[in-house]
């Protein structure tokens, strides 16, 4: 629906009444004549954020084509995820920026790894690790303010997780990204890669199942964020089952899985900023941000904080506006409190994207 819109209801996290209008695609708190009222009593939120997903990677592997990437973005939109932090994609998805009914994407370019140390076909593989600073600078220019490293992966020569990069190369590489105005994040499952990455000035850790008290303290001191992708960690036992040739690695993956609730809970209690990401693309289907929010509640975040990790707090972290005057009108509306569980959170009653009412159901709209 085009034209001005009007919304009245309850906002979060403060649970205070909110009334706003949407005109020319942005939020205003000044009344707009002849605006269509979307809701008089709903819960009104900024669009949800999936802070770790992959638009352009097929479910169970491979590169998506244009139609497939659009379908993935549509799936996210329909569950209310209107801002996606793409943590590495093998295809250029910038054409999605021109489609007004699809979520906005913050891209990290392509993963950076070394040969045979990541999923085939997804990463930029560097034959010489000394090339990392140059590769990081290139991806910083290609992305939207983020660069994604593969911090560790199975090394079949030792049969277990092992870091990909030496500490001095990491320091130079992260400094190169920062000079280009980009932040750096890294895929890390195990323990050994974390001290070097954090000491080198990394901005975020993805997964973080190998965090210890020492590296949690380092993250707090450095202001390093964590995106734990808890619903992806649920796949670790299956990964271990498929790795019978590498029994040490298989045991390690099962151990990381068994401890993840305690690990992420300790990080949260210590004050590590935590944001919600599903790792959709590959082994996780798109559209599961509500399940990730529920998983964060299970490891110790309050329902409000867990939702904030996929909404207002995540938007602030990523430098995107929420519900404020002049902000892009990317909003979702619920008839019932979205903190009550994934069944409610995954089914917004109205989705407003770039100021247009894209979907509405029930008494909304």
């Amino acid at each position: 629906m085009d034209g001005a819109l009007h919304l009245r209801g309850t906002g979060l996290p403060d649970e205070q009444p909110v009334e706003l209008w949407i005109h020319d695609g942005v939020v205003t708190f000044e009344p707009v004549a002849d605006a269509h009222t979307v809701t008089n009593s709903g819960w009104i939120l900024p669009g949800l954020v999936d802070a770790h997903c992959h638009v352009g990677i097929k479910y169970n592997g491979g590169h998506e084509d244009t139609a497939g990437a659009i379908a993935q973005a549509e799936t996210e939109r329909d569950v209310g995820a209107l801002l996606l932090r793409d943590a590495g994609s093998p295809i250029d998805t910038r054409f999605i920026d021109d489609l007004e009914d699809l979520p906005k994407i913050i891209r990290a370019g392509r993963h950076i790894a070394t040969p045979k140390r990541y999923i085939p076909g997804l990463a930029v593989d560097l034959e010489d690790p000394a090339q990392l600073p140059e590769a990081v600078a290139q991806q910083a220019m290609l992305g939207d303010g983020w660069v994604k490293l593969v911090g560790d992966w199975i090394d079949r020569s030792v049969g277990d997780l092992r870091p990909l990069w030496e500490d001095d190369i990491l320091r130079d590489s992260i400094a190169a990204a920062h000079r280009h105005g980009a932040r750096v994040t890294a895929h890390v499952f195990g323990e050994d890669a974390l001290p070097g990455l954090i000491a080198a000035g990394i901005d975020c850790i993805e997964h973080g199942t190998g965090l210890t008290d020492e590296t949690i303290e380092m993250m707090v001191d450095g202001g390093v964020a964590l995106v734990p992708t808890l619903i992806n960690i649920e796949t670790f036992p299956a990964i271990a089952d498929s790795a019978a040739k590498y029994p040490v690695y298989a045991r390690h993956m099962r151990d990381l899985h068994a401890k993840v609730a305690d690990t992420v809970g300790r990080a949260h209690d210590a004050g590590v900023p935590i944001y919600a990401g599903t790792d959709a693309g590959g082994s996780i289907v798109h559209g599961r941000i509500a399940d990730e929010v529920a998983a964060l509640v299970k490891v110790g975040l309050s329902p409000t904080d867990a939702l904030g990790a996929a909404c207002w707090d995540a938007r602030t972290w990523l430098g995107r506006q929420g519900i404020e005057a002049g902000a892009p009108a990317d909003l979702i509306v619920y008839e019932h409190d979205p903190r009550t569980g994934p069944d409610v959170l995954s089914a917004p009653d109205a989705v407003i994207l770039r100021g247009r009412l894209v979907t509405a159901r029930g008494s909304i709209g």
Side-chain angles (χ1 to χ4, degrees), residues 178-201:
H178 290 168
R179 286 194 297 272
H180 283 84
R183 290 185 275 184
V184 183
T185 193
H187 161 108
V188 191
F189 283 163
E191 299 84 358
D192 295 346
L194 287 164
L197 288 162
I198 300 168

Side-chain angles (χ1 to χ4, degrees), residues 50-58 62-64 72 84-93 105-113 118-119 121-124 139 142-150 183 185-187 206-207 279-282 286:
D50 189 333
H52 181 136
C53 66
H54 306 278
V55 177
I57 299 178
K58 284 185 177 181
H63 298 193
E64 276 289 5
Q72 290 177 341
L84 310 177
R85 176 174 170 258
D86 192 313
S89 176
I91 71 169
D92 184 353
T93 59
I105 301 179
I106 298 172
R107 299 167 183 82
R110 294 186 66 178
H111 304 74
I112 305 176
Y118 195 57
I119 300 168
L122 295 188
V124 174
Q139 293 303 315
L142 293 173
D144 298 318
W146 283 92
V147 176
K148 171 74 173 294
L149 306 180
V150 178
R183 290 185 275 184
T185 193
H187 161 108
E206 312 295 321
H207 316 302
D279 209 357
H286 281 268

Side-chain angles (χ1 to χ4, degrees), residues 7 12 20 22 27 43-51 76-84 103-104 276 289 293 307-316 318 320-324 327-334 345 348 350-354:
L7 295 83
L12 287 171
L20 62 90
I22 297 170
V27 172
W43 296 78
I44 305 169
L45 276 66
L48 299 179
V49 179
D50 189 333
E76 297 291 357
R77 177 201 64 201
D78 292 346
V79 299
L82 306 185
L83 181 63
L84 310 177
K104 297 174 183 177
I289 189 61
V293 170
L307 181 51
C311 194
W312 52 88
D313 290 331
R315 284 180 167 272
T316 298
L318 293 172
R320 298 300 191 270
Q321 293 172 290
I323 299 178
E324 53 196 271
D330 297 334
L331 308 175
I332 48 178
V333 180
Y334 297 89
L345 186 60
V351 174
I352 299 169
L353 186 57
R354 295 173 172 87

